[in-house]
Amino acid sequence: SDLRRQGERGELLQPLIFVSLVLCSVLLYFKVSLMDPGFVKSEEELKASKSEEQSVVIPQVPSDIKMRRCGYCMVKQPMRARHCQLCQHCVRRYDHHCPWIENCVGEKNHPLFIAYLSVQLVVLLWGGHIAWSGLFFEQSWDWLQHNILLLMSFLLIAMLTIVDLLLLISHLYLISCNTTTWEYMSHHRISYLRNSELENPFDQGVVLNLWRFFC
């Protein structure tokens, strides 16, 4: 049959890989959007769960900086945490609240968020290539009528690709500096950065920053 001959020639491999990437992108989207981004637990919750997770992953606070209590949810905020009014929680190593996934990007889901952006970029580039390969430009009204949907799809994919690429590049740059979007944008308003002798006290070099973030 035609399907068997296409399989023997390897023509079905690319569609299967593309569908797998799309499925992986969708699964990553739901995983990142539904998982706990790193909500700060109250003292009662910490005692009930007997969890030592926060004391392990949160940097030690310098002696001249006092732990502050959040004025919204009344939990003690560890360093690099921030209260998100949309999620109604304090988030450890808060980066930003992403309307794309309708969730905060924080300590727990930030690496998966980068993985999602990377897979999504590959899917968009591949989809853009498919849409472009189907366009054969002619300066006629009939051509535009028959190809308007394909042309609009390509323009939409191109726009989303640019947004995804810029977002991924900016996050990888901040990760390589061991800083977050919130810290980068609000450096002058954050006490542990404003009072620090170093511009970025968490920076340990590009290689070590990337290793500790992803590994």
XYZ file of all heavy atoms in Angstrom, residues 95 110 114 117 163-176 179-181 184:
180
model
N 9.980 34.975 39.609
C 10.459 35.579 38.362
C 9.417 36.546 37.802
O 9.684 37.718 37.647
C 10.783 34.505 37.329
C 11.483 35.075 36.111
O 12.727 35.160 36.140
O 10.797 35.460 35.149
N 10.394 27.098 36.921
C 11.165 27.917 35.984
C 11.935 27.063 34.967
O 11.901 27.358 33.766
C 12.114 28.842 36.752
C 12.558 30.026 35.961
N 13.229 31.099 36.503
C 12.441 30.325 34.643
C 13.496 31.985 35.574
N 13.026 31.537 34.427
N 11.388 27.094 30.768
C 12.408 27.238 29.723
C 12.303 26.091 28.724
O 12.425 26.287 27.499
C 13.818 27.286 30.336
C 13.951 28.504 31.264
C 14.879 27.348 29.245
C 13.740 29.834 30.600
N 9.319 26.790 26.467
C 9.620 27.807 25.457
C 10.494 27.232 24.343
O 10.304 27.561 23.162
C 10.325 29.003 26.104
C 9.501 29.884 27.048
C 10.372 31.007 27.617
C 8.293 30.482 26.338
N 8.089 36.494 19.315
C 7.806 36.681 20.746
C 8.456 35.576 21.570
O 9.114 35.841 22.589
C 6.284 36.711 20.992
C 5.982 36.724 22.489
C 5.662 37.939 20.332
N 8.291 34.336 21.132
C 8.863 33.192 21.846
C 10.385 33.281 21.883
O 11.016 33.044 22.929
C 8.418 31.899 21.164
C 8.690 30.669 22.013
O 9.815 30.528 22.511
O 7.774 29.843 22.185
N 10.998 33.622 20.758
C 12.456 33.697 20.680
C 13.005 34.784 21.596
O 13.985 34.555 22.331
C 12.879 33.962 19.233
C 14.390 34.083 18.972
C 15.092 32.782 19.340
C 14.655 34.447 17.519
N 12.396 35.965 21.580
C 12.855 37.055 22.439
C 12.694 36.696 23.913
O 13.570 37.002 24.741
C 12.085 38.343 22.118
C 12.355 38.960 20.746
C 11.465 40.184 20.530
C 13.826 39.355 20.620
N 11.571 36.042 24.245
C 11.333 35.648 25.633
C 12.361 34.615 26.084
O 12.901 34.697 27.200
C 9.917 35.086 25.765
C 9.376 34.864 27.184
C 9.362 36.162 27.962
C 7.967 34.281 27.124
N 12.656 33.650 25.231
C 13.626 32.613 25.572
C 15.028 33.206 25.734
O 15.741 32.869 26.694
C 13.630 31.533 24.495
C 14.603 30.359 24.698
C 14.291 29.622 25.996
C 14.538 29.402 23.511
N 15.423 34.080 24.823
C 16.748 34.700 24.903
C 16.890 35.523 26.182
O 17.917 35.461 26.879
C 17.002 35.572 23.659
C 17.177 34.696 22.418
C 18.252 36.438 23.852
C 17.302 35.477 21.129
N 15.862 36.313 26.504
C 15.933 37.143 27.703
C 16.030 36.292 28.967
O 16.795 36.610 29.890
C 14.719 38.071 27.767
O 13.513 37.333 27.916
N 15.279 35.192 29.018
C 15.335 34.329 30.202
C 16.682 33.628 30.321
O 17.234 33.519 31.428
C 14.209 33.294 30.155
C 12.927 33.779 30.745
N 12.645 33.712 32.087
C 11.846 34.381 30.182
C 11.452 34.226 32.333
N 10.950 34.644 31.188
N 17.219 33.161 29.210
C 18.527 32.504 29.259
C 19.608 33.485 29.692
O 20.543 33.110 30.427
C 18.866 31.912 27.889
C 18.050 30.696 27.472
C 18.410 30.258 26.055
C 18.261 29.538 28.446
N 19.495 34.742 29.274
C 20.469 35.753 29.707
C 20.376 35.978 31.212
O 21.397 36.013 31.915
C 20.227 37.066 28.967
C 21.003 38.226 29.557
C 22.377 38.341 29.360
C 20.357 39.187 30.339
C 23.089 39.387 29.917
C 21.056 40.235 30.901
C 22.423 40.332 30.693
O 23.128 41.367 31.254
N 19.152 36.124 31.727
C 18.977 36.352 33.164
C 19.431 35.138 33.971
O 20.028 35.291 35.042
C 17.504 36.664 33.461
C 16.971 37.984 32.900
C 15.474 38.115 33.169
C 17.715 39.179 33.480
N 19.159 33.930 33.458
C 19.595 32.725 34.147
C 21.122 32.657 34.192
O 21.714 32.271 35.212
C 19.016 31.481 33.454
C 17.498 31.418 33.645
C 19.658 30.203 33.995
C 16.823 30.415 32.738
N 21.774 33.043 33.102
C 23.239 33.015 33.070
C 23.840 34.018 34.057
O 24.992 33.857 34.477
C 23.737 33.322 31.653
O 23.461 34.680 31.299
N 19.911 35.871 38.012
C 18.960 36.871 38.471
C 17.593 36.546 37.891
O 17.477 35.676 37.029
C 19.399 38.290 38.071
O 18.569 39.258 38.707
C 19.319 38.485 36.561
N 16.577 37.213 38.378
C 15.217 36.973 37.896
C 14.689 38.229 37.218
O 15.263 39.314 37.347
C 14.281 36.589 39.059
O 14.181 37.701 39.967
C 14.810 35.381 39.805
N 13.590 38.060 36.500
C 12.982 39.215 35.834
C 12.587 40.276 36.844
O 12.811 41.475 36.625
C 11.740 38.761 35.045
O 12.108 37.751 34.098
C 11.116 39.930 34.301
N 15.724 41.996 38.137
C 16.326 42.823 37.097
C 15.549 44.118 36.901
O 16.146 45.189 36.735
C 16.378 42.033 35.786
C 17.031 42.775 34.646
C 18.421 42.847 34.548
C 16.252 43.383 33.661
C 19.021 43.525 33.494
C 16.851 44.063 32.610
C 18.230 44.133 32.535
O 18.821 44.811 31.497
